[in-house]
Amino acid sequence: MNDTTGLGDDVQLITLDVNGTSHEVITAPRRTLVDVLRHDLRLTGTHVGCEHGICGACTVLVDGLPVRACLMFAAQAEGARITTVESLADSGTGELGDLQRAFTAHHGLQCGFCTPGFLMLAQGFLAERPEATKEEIREVVAANLCRCTGYQTIVEAIDACATARRSQRAMGAEEDSCN
């Protein structure tokens, strides 16, 4: 449960499936998903940028699709599968996931503020379009804002990960590697 101080009388109990774990949360009906993730569930990898759905820093996956968590009420996500950037690394060892390793290897991040949003956008996109071309990747990443990298290294990282995943699938391997 969470602290309801300052929520007023209009609160509701919702259950959210986040990264495969069920969480009961008491929250105001109009509270955003990003606020519940960060403040109630302490999943601070999802960043708050513009709070208008423009920058993409708050991107999470809802039922496998990229969603701006600042534009969605937490109550709207009840019954859906929510996936945050915390799910990309191995929860037991902390080892980075293949997409995170690709971002590191290709210098797809600088200050890192926008990185979780790009990672989740790419994760959702590659799940839907594993055969994506660089041009398609470039078009998709244009939906998120980055002030540091200039996008080219982000595109290269996602393309390298997509290529490695395709190669792994072709070889019948189960483990992904994007380096």
Side-chain angles (χ1 to χ4, degrees):
M1 294 293 195
N2 56 334
D3 181 16
T4 59
T5 307
L7 289 178
D9 294 332
D10 188 23
V11 295
Q12 63 188 50
L13 174 66
I14 61 173
T15 303
L16 298 176
D17 175 357
V18 183
N19 301 329
T21 302
S22 181
H23 300 272
E24 286 188 341
V25 179
I26 297 173
T27 189
R30 297 183 51 84
R31 197 137 168 260
T32 63
L33 180 57
V34 72
D35 284 339
V36 168
L37 290 172
R38 290 183 58 80
H39 301 293
D40 296 317
L41 303 183
R42 303 285 189 235
L43 295 171
T44 58
T46 303
H47 291 167
V48 179
C50 67
E51 297 188 76
H52 295 285
I54 296 169
C55 73
C58 66
T59 302
V60 297
L61 301 182
V62 176
D63 289 334
L65 299 174
V67 169
R68 309 296 174 133
C70 73
L71 296 180
M72 183 177 208
F73 295 129
Q76 290 175 293
E78 189 168 29
R81 250 181 26 259
I82 303 161
T83 310
T84 69
V85 71
E86 286 87 355
S87 72
L88 298 181
D90 183 290
S91 61
T93 65
E95 182 180 332
L96 296 180
D98 61 345
L99 190 55
Q100 293 168 306
R101 290 192 308 269
F103 266 65
T104 301
H106 293 272
H107 307 288
L109 59 128
Q110 284 185 17
C111 82
F113 187 80
C114 66
T115 305
F118 275 105
L119 287 167
M120 296 315 294
L121 178 68
Q123 185 77 354
F125 176 67
L126 292 180
E128 184 179 311
R129 294 269 307 120
E131 304 295 326
T133 65
K134 265 192 175 179
E135 291 74 30
E136 291 170 320
I137 294 167
R138 191 177 323 282
E139 186 175 322
V140 165
V141 300
N144 283 22
L145 298 178
C146 175
R147 295 179 181 208
C148 301
T149 66
Y151 295 91
Q152 185 58 34
T153 56
I154 294 170
V155 171
E156 289 170 4
I158 297 169
D159 183 57
C161 187
T163 301
R165 285 181 180 180
R166 287 191 296 266
S167 176
Q168 293 290 334
R169 263 194 319 279
M171 294 174 14
E174 290 185 25
E175 191 163 324
D176 294 329
S177 177
C178 297
N179 292 329

